[in-house]
Amino acid sequence: SRRQRPFSSFRILSAFIMPIGGKITPKRQATRRALKAREPKIVENVKKAFFLRGPKTSQVVVNALKDLYAMKKPQGKMMSKKNKLRPFEDHSSIEFLSQQMDFSLFAFGALTKRKGHCITLGRLFNHQLLDMVELSINVDNEFRKISEFSAERKKSVKLGSKPMFVFQGDQFELSENHKLLKSLLLDFFRGDIMEKINLASVDRVIVCTATNDRIYFRHYAVMVRKSGLKVPKVALDEIGPRMN
C-alpha cells in the first residue's frame, strides 16, 4: 500500500471583518453579561475547542478525536452527530458553530478514499476562520488509544493540568507547515497562561518529533520516584494517545 504523507492537505485562510451598522445595546442583563464576557481582554481566557466528525469516519478517526478531547478537557466539547462538512471547501458551518458556542478552536475527523484517516486542526479569530492544517494518521505503524495504556499511569495525571511541550526536529523551525502545526498544538493544550507555576503540578509532557517527513505524537506522564537521594528520580511513562 502507498505510504501516506502526514500533511495530505494544507491551506491557510484569512478573513477581514467589516463592521456593519451601529452598536445595539441589549435590554436584558444576562445578554449584556454574555456580550461583555466575549469582549477582547488584555489576558485572554483559555481557548476552548469543539470536536466533530465528518459524514464518513473510521474507528481510528473516532478514537483519535476522543483521545484529543480527553486531553483538552475541561475546555472542550465533543459533538455527537456526524456533520456534512468539508472545511477546506466551505468553512461557514465551522464559523457558525464557533459563534454559537463562543469557541475558537476545532478538531474535525473524517475518512476519505484519497486521503485516508484524517484529522483537521483549526483556529478562529473573532469567529472567522484564521488557519488550519490537515493531518493523515498512518495506521500501518502503531496507533494506540489512551485506554490501551496502564490505568495506574493515567491516574497520576490530573484533569485540566498544564502540560510541558517538546518539539524535536529542525522542521519545526524551518518549515512553515510545521510551524503552523506547532502553533496550533500549543494553542490547543497549553491551558491557562501563568506567570508562576508549581513544579509539583507539572505531571505530563507532549512530545512531537518531526523526521523523514513524518510527525510522531506522544503523550507521557511525569513520574517522580524515590532515588535514595535528596533529588528524586524523574521518569516518563507513556499514557497515550500514540499517533504517527
Side-chain angles (χ1 to χ4, degrees):
S1 60
R2 186 165 59 93
R3 291 182 62 187
Q4 297 176 351
R5 298 167 66 89
F7 289 95
S8 55
S9 180
F10 174 82
R11 182 169 59 172
I12 298 177
L13 302 173
S14 299
F16 298 90
I17 305 168
M18 184 67 68
I20 301 174
K23 183 178 179 180
I24 300 175
T25 304
K27 296 180 180 180
R28 296 180 59 188
Q29 184 68 23
T31 307
R32 286 197 289 269
R33 286 196 300 267
L35 291 175
K36 186 173 180 61
R38 296 189 180 192
E39 289 179 355
K41 300 176 178 61
I42 296 176
V43 179
E44 287 187 348
N45 297 332
V46 179
K47 293 182 178 180
K48 297 181 179 180
F50 57 98
F51 299 78
L52 64 164
R53 296 180 291 166
K56 187 177 181 182
T57 57
S58 64
Q59 193 59 49
V60 170
V61 170
V62 172
N63 290 339
L65 282 176
K66 286 182 177 179
D67 285 356
L68 292 175
Y69 167 63
M71 293 175 63
K72 181 62 177 172
K73 284 182 179 179
Q75 290 90 29
K77 180 178 177 62
M78 174 67 77
M79 313 294 286
S80 58
K81 296 182 179 180
K82 294 184 178 182
N83 300 268
K84 294 183 180 181
L85 299 177
R86 291 182 175 84
F88 284 89
E89 297 176 12
D90 179 14
H91 48 267
S92 58
S93 296
I94 296 289
E95 293 175 348
F96 174 77
L97 291 171
S98 170
Q99 177 76 38
Q100 291 293 105
M101 297 184 290
D102 194 24
F103 285 13
S104 56
L105 299 167
F106 73 90
F108 173 79
L111 173 67
T112 65
K113 186 179 294 185
R114 185 167 61 91
K115 301 176 184 178
H117 313 270
C118 295
I119 297 290
T120 301
L121 303 179
R123 176 168 45 197
L124 302 102
F125 176 76
N126 200 16
H127 309 300
Q128 303 293 313
L129 187 61
L130 179 64
D131 47 29
M132 58 183 171
V133 61
E134 187 177 35
L135 308 168
S136 77
I137 301 173
N138 187 356
V139 294
D140 295 333
N141 294 327
E142 284 191 12
F143 169 81
R144 294 183 64 187
K145 54 186 179 179
I146 291 177
S147 60
E148 295 178 33
F149 289 86
S150 169
E152 292 300 319
R153 298 174 188 173
K154 290 181 284 187
K155 287 179 182 178
S156 64
V157 177
K158 301 177 182 65
L159 179 67
S161 63
K162 191 176 181 67
M164 296 180 287
F165 294 88
V166 177
F167 291 93
Q168 301 179 117
D170 294 338
Q171 289 170 295
F172 284 115
E173 300 298 329
L174 302 176
S175 166
E176 293 301 321
N177 293 8
H178 288 70
K179 286 181 181 179
L180 174 58
L181 177 62
K182 177 181 177 180
S183 176
L184 280 167
L185 290 173
L186 287 172
D187 260 4
F188 254 84
F189 300 115
R190 66 182 175 184
D192 292 305
I193 299 175
M194 303 176 182
E195 294 182 1
K196 297 180 180 179
I197 190 168
N198 184 357
L199 290 179
S201 66
V202 179
D203 55 10
R204 61 193 179 109
V205 57
I206 296 171
V207 180
C208 294
T209 304
T211 179
N212 298 327
D213 203 24
R214 302 191 65 80
I215 295 173
Y216 300 88
F217 183 94
R218 301 291 185 269
H219 186 210
Y220 299 94
V222 179
M223 310 295 290
V224 180
R225 296 166 179 153
K226 293 181 179 179
S227 63
L229 304 172
K230 290 183 177 180
V231 180
K233 180 181 178 181
V234 179
L236 297 181
D237 286 342
E238 192 173 359
I239 57 174
R242 178 192 296 177
M243 292 184 283
N244 300 335

